[in-house]
Amino acid sequence: MNRRWISVATTAVALAALTACGDAEEAATKAVDARDFVALGDSYAAGLGAGNYGDKQDCVQSKDGGYPHLWAALRTAATFGTITDATCAGAKINDVRYEQLTALNENTGWVTLTVGGNDAGWTKSLQACLLGTDETCKSSVDTAVTTVESALPAELDALYKVIRDRAPNAKVYVLGYPHLVAAPGAAGVSCEALSDARRKALNDGADSLDELIKGRVAAVQGFTFVDVRKAFEGHEACTKEPWIHGLRDNLSESYHPTPEGHKAYADALFAVTG
């Protein structure tokens, strides 16, 4: 080959290498500093039960008592960009998917989420256990568990995919649900209509939901499940020092975390994230 063309080709290769190197350096310089925090989910994420509710009356967000705000306050060494609380009491999986994700983008570095309880129909099950018999309680919980096992996997998978697509740089923490009531046979427990059999049914149902969520989360890269059941152990409704409200004058707060319960949520999350 002509030496001139060899020289030209060699120069071209060298320039291409330098250009590629420059592009890589420029890309590294422009790497996204993902620091925004977005909180998603239902009443357990919104802080229902903690009081000091803000302007979003329909969503019943606690201004400072929900676990997302408490967790952000614990992370004093972290520098957040923006903090967006999109949570809403009563939210179901598709409410989160279609109504709460507008704040997510490549700048989102942190996402927290609790959802699924409303989809399972736990409110109806709780009512059946409070007002019905042991048999109607168990039947209602069994129906909820069937819903959990049949409908929720596909809906959760779809939600998690959209979150990952919209917030590709985010660490996503999915927090589960505690047992609502004291364990069967727990000493010194007075739980009105909630007999041992009914408490067992409710807590078994919570386990089914948590284990389902845990399994779906494990399949998504960058998602972490935070199990809060242990954190609430001995502090469920009907115990001496409950972190779950029993029946309240404000019925919407019934069987939701107390301020101490929302702090337990935040502490459990902080134990994972630092």
Side-chain angles (χ1 to χ4, degrees):
M1 181 182 290
N2 185 293
R3 290 182 179 180
R4 177 176 176 274
W5 287 110
I6 293 174
S7 176
V8 170
T10 302
T11 302
V13 170
L15 287 173
L18 288 171
T19 301
C21 182
D23 290 345
E25 289 178 356
E26 184 178 0
T29 302
K30 292 182 177 180
V32 174
D33 184 13
R35 296 184 295 116
D36 295 348
F37 168 39
V38 180
L40 307 170
D42 58 21
S43 55
Y44 274 67
L48 182 56
N52 193 23
Y53 304 119
D55 297 330
K56 293 185 178 180
Q57 295 299 320
D58 291 342
C59 286
V60 203
Q61 288 181 352
S62 177
K63 290 182 179 179
D64 53 11
Y67 76 74
H69 296 278
L70 295 174
W71 170 76
L74 286 172
R75 303 194 78 248
T76 52
T79 302
F80 291 112
T82 61
I83 298 177
T84 303
D85 187 349
T87 59
C88 192
K92 294 184 177 182
I93 293 168
N94 282 333
D95 295 323
V96 174
R97 180 179 177 183
Y98 294 111
E99 298 176 14
Q100 296 187 14
L101 304 187
T102 55
L104 298 181
N105 54 51
E106 65 176 6
N107 296 311
T108 307
W110 306 87
V111 175
T112 59
L113 168 67
T114 299
V115 73
N118 293 317
D119 298 80
W122 291 130
T123 299
K124 290 182 179 179
S125 295
L126 184 57
Q127 290 174 344
C129 292
L130 285 167
L131 302 175
T133 64
D134 289 358
E135 290 73 22
T136 56
C137 170
K138 186 176 185 306
S139 176
S140 181
V141 171
D142 287 346
T143 297
V145 169
T146 298
T147 299
V148 165
E149 294 175 345
S150 60
L152 265 63
E155 292 183 4
L156 287 172
D157 289 350
L159 172 62
Y160 298 161
K161 183 180 185 304
V162 176
I163 291 173
R164 174 48 70 225
D165 289 346
R166 295 195 182 186
N169 301 306
K171 296 178 180 178
V172 182
Y173 295 91
V174 181
L175 291 84
Y177 296 90
H179 288 171
L180 292 181
V181 288
V189 169
S190 175
C191 218
E192 298 179 347
L194 295 176
S195 64
D196 276 3
R198 302 184 200 195
R199 297 203 302 274
K200 182 180 187 305
L202 286 168
N203 291 340
D204 286 350
D207 287 337
S208 295
L209 177 58
D210 278 328
E211 292 303 316
L212 184 282
I213 295 172
K214 180 179 179 180
R216 307 322 296 176
V217 168
V220 187
Q221 185 175 3
F223 279 50
T224 301
F225 179 72
V226 181
D227 196 333
V228 300
R229 287 172 288 183
K230 199 72 176 177
F232 278 80
E233 192 172 306
H235 294 284
E236 303 89 348
C238 307
T239 57
K240 291 182 180 179
E241 296 181 3
W243 294 349
I244 297 286
H245 290 297
L247 288 174
R248 303 273 289 172
D249 291 337
N250 178 354
L251 288 175
S252 67
E253 292 184 331
S254 299
Y255 296 96
H256 281 80
T258 65
E260 294 81 6
H262 287 288
K263 183 178 183 303
Y265 256 98
D267 288 344
L269 179 58
F270 186 74
V272 174
T273 64

